[in-house]
Amino acid sequence: MRQIGEAPQIDTDMAEAVSGLLEARGYGLKDADASTGSKDYLERILGLIRGTGLTIAVFSHQTRPTALANIMLELGFAAMCGKPLMIVKSKDAPAPSDLKRTDWIDYDFADPVNFERKVGQALDEIEALAEFEEQLLDLALDAPSMDCAVAFERAHRAFLLAGQPEMLEKAESIRDRIAGVRNIETVADLNRLHDEIAMFVKQGRRCRLPRVAD
């Protein structure tokens, strides 16, 4: 999430630095320029946030105020969706008041080594989160009375974070657990959950995410 169109040079430099570090770790990146269509612009941005494993905000002391407002709105939505957040700002940019207690990474042209180290630490934490989600998923799958919706959410999060095809197989096992009872008329939510998982598995196998945690 960054200023799109006529961005200050510092914003462009920070975005390129972040992109290079993430791509070196095997992450695929998307921003507002990564998709087009006839949808409402905000709806399209929110769809991109929902479909990614983590959210990165990039802004500086030169970021246009209206663009910064958009970034903050999108950060809030990502947080509400439970996405891990990485905030990268210029050294001279003040953190908005609601982020005063949120960790961020300062971009300092004079100290690129420290910047790379901080980004690496943030990615290590995110990858550890993916492993934790997988552990929670395994516990849910082994439970004698499984909460299918919770188990699917963990499979969904783990897959978006790490891109492991095993998560799709585990999601299928959740779908199969539902299959035997989903046509009961009084539990329409199970029909919906079954179809949602089936679509998730189908789309996951098509997208072939580049990121696979070591």
Side-chain angles (χ1 to χ4, degrees):
M1 300 182 298
R2 59 186 178 90
Q3 180 174 328
I4 301 295
E6 299 182 356
Q9 187 61 47
I10 186 173
D11 289 38
T12 300
D13 291 342
M14 288 194 298
E16 290 178 353
V18 172
S19 298
L21 292 173
L22 267 72
E23 289 172 350
R25 296 268 294 244
Y27 285 89
L29 304 176
K30 288 187 177 181
D31 61 21
D33 286 339
S35 68
T36 57
S38 58
K39 288 184 178 180
D40 173 81
Y41 183 79
L42 179 59
E43 181 182 351
R44 180 156 53 88
I45 294 298
L46 300 185
L48 287 172
I49 292 173
R50 290 190 188 99
T52 53
L54 64 143
T55 298
I56 304 169
V58 177
F59 61 90
S60 74
H61 56 291
Q62 296 180 12
T63 301
R64 188 174 63 243
T66 53
L68 184 60
N70 289 339
I71 292 170
M72 295 303 109
L73 174 64
E74 293 161 8
L75 261 179
F77 184 80
M80 185 179 69
C81 290
K83 303 296 182 180
L85 306 179
M86 181 187 301
I87 299 172
V88 178
K89 69 179 190 66
S90 65
K91 186 178 179 180
D92 296 328
S97 58
D98 286 346
L99 296 178
K100 290 293 187 183
R101 296 184 179 180
T102 301
D103 288 337
W104 59 74
I105 301 172
D106 281 335
Y107 182 81
D108 185 353
F109 288 99
D111 194 359
V113 173
N114 184 59
F115 176 72
E116 293 179 9
R117 180 177 61 84
K118 289 293 186 180
V119 171
Q121 288 176 344
L123 295 178
D124 288 342
E125 292 181 6
I126 290 169
E127 289 166 14
L129 176 61
E131 294 178 3
F132 180 62
E133 291 288 348
E134 184 175 0
Q135 292 171 3
L136 292 177
L137 172 60
D138 289 338
L139 289 173
L141 293 175
D142 291 338
S145 179
M146 181 174 65
D147 187 320
C148 295
V150 171
F152 172 55
E153 179 63 23
R154 289 169 177 166
H156 186 275
R157 283 170 57 86
F159 179 73
L160 289 180
L161 285 168
Q164 295 174 323
E166 293 84 355
M167 295 302 100
L168 299 177
E169 297 171 3
K170 292 180 179 181
E172 281 190 313
S173 72
I174 301 169
R175 182 199 62 189
D176 294 342
R177 182 83 68 95
I178 299 171
V181 295
R182 75 185 184 98
N183 290 320
I184 299 176
E185 294 181 358
T186 56
V187 285
D189 57 322
L190 289 181
N191 291 319
R192 184 173 60 251
L193 180 59
H194 177 279
D195 295 342
E196 183 179 349
I197 295 173
M199 181 59 67
F200 164 74
V201 172
K202 182 177 181 180
Q203 292 178 338
R205 287 187 170 141
R206 283 182 175 178
C207 74
R208 301 177 63 182
L209 294 182
R211 174 63 196 161
V212 178
D214 295 331

